[in-house]
């Protein structure tokens, strides 16, 4: 149990250092405010968020009495799910410009929900349509980010 807590401490210290590094480096850019963010806003607060989560995780690990599983892929099929997710994301990168953001995101989310952790068709379709629609609205209309349209036009 002690070696697992040491590993947990080591990984949390790594992420604290990484988060601080990100926050310090990005503070060299203008950070701005929530209403008027500048280029350093997102990386700065991401670094702070990483530090906060790492400190929370470290405190939680020290308070736990039971040992954490030492197996990285403790469930059967975990490695297969990780590799499948990785391959699906690589495929997403290649189809994004051809099929467009909405359709590519819909397909990626659908495959993840049916293949990685199988869900009912209703839940898969509902969640996939919701995710692709909401992300499209947020990025395209609210943040005014140009997203790939693909050959279909959306």
């Amino acid at each position: 149990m002690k070696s697992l807590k040491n590993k947990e401490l080591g990984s949390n210290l790594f992420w604290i250092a990484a988060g601080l590094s990100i926050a310090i480096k990005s503070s060299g850019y203008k950070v701005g405010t929530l209403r008027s963010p500048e280029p350093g806003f997102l990386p700065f607060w991401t670094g702070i968020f990483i530090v906060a989560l790492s400190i929370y995780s470290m405190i939680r690990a020290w308070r736990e009495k039971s040992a954490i599983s030492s197996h990285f892929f403790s469930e059967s099929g975990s490695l297969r799910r990780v590799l499948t997710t990785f391959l699906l994301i690589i495929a997403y990168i290649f189809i994004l410009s051809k099929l467009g953001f909405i359709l590519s995101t819909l397909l990626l989310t659908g495959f993840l929900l049916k293949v990685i952790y199988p869900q009912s068709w209703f839940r898969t379709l509902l969640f996939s349509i919701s995710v692709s629609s909401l992300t499209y609205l947020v990025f395209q209309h609210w943040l005014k980010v140009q997203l790939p349209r693909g050959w279909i036009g959306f």
Side-chain angles (χ1 to χ4, degrees):
M1 185 164 121
K2 186 166 177 117
S3 85
L4 286 176
K5 284 201 176 187
N6 288 341
K7 289 178 185 176
E8 183 80 17
L9 175 65
S11 67
N12 282 315
L13 288 175
F14 168 81
W15 286 112
I16 288 171
L20 284 173
S21 173
I22 291 167
I24 290 168
K25 181 68 177 167
S26 63
S27 67
Y29 299 99
K30 291 181 181 178
V31 176
T33 65
L34 187 59
R35 293 202 183 269
S36 180
E38 297 286 335
F41 184 83
L42 186 61
F44 176 77
W45 287 108
T46 300
I48 297 299
F49 188 65
I50 290 170
V51 170
L53 286 178
S54 299
I55 291 170
Y56 170 76
S57 177
M58 193 177 347
I59 291 169
R60 196 168 147 228
W62 279 53
R63 286 185 177 175
E64 279 185 9
K65 303 255 189 275
S66 64
I68 303 166
S69 171
S70 63
H71 300 291
F72 188 73
F73 296 114
S74 57
E75 294 179 27
S76 72
S78 294
L79 179 60
R80 180 188 61 81
R81 285 194 299 272
V82 168
L83 292 175
T84 304
T85 302
F86 178 74
L87 292 173
L88 285 172
I89 292 172
I90 297 297
Y92 177 78
I93 292 167
F94 287 109
I95 67 169
L96 187 59
S97 62
K98 292 174 181 52
L99 297 181
F101 179 81
I102 294 176
L103 189 55
S104 298
T105 304
L106 181 94
L107 290 172
L108 173 69
T109 310
F111 278 121
L112 289 173
L113 289 172
K114 283 309 274 182
V115 175
I116 304 304
Y117 284 106
Q119 302 293 317
S120 68
W121 276 108
F122 175 76
R123 197 177 247 174
T124 298
L125 289 172
L126 179 68
F127 191 76
S128 298
I129 291 168
S130 299
V131 165
S132 58
S133 301
L134 288 173
T135 54
Y136 178 79
L137 287 172
V138 166
F139 286 103
Q140 184 75 31
H141 294 287
W142 185 44
L143 297 174
K144 306 288 187 213
V145 174
Q146 268 197 314
L147 298 171
R149 295 192 145 231
W151 60 272
I152 299 174
F154 61 88

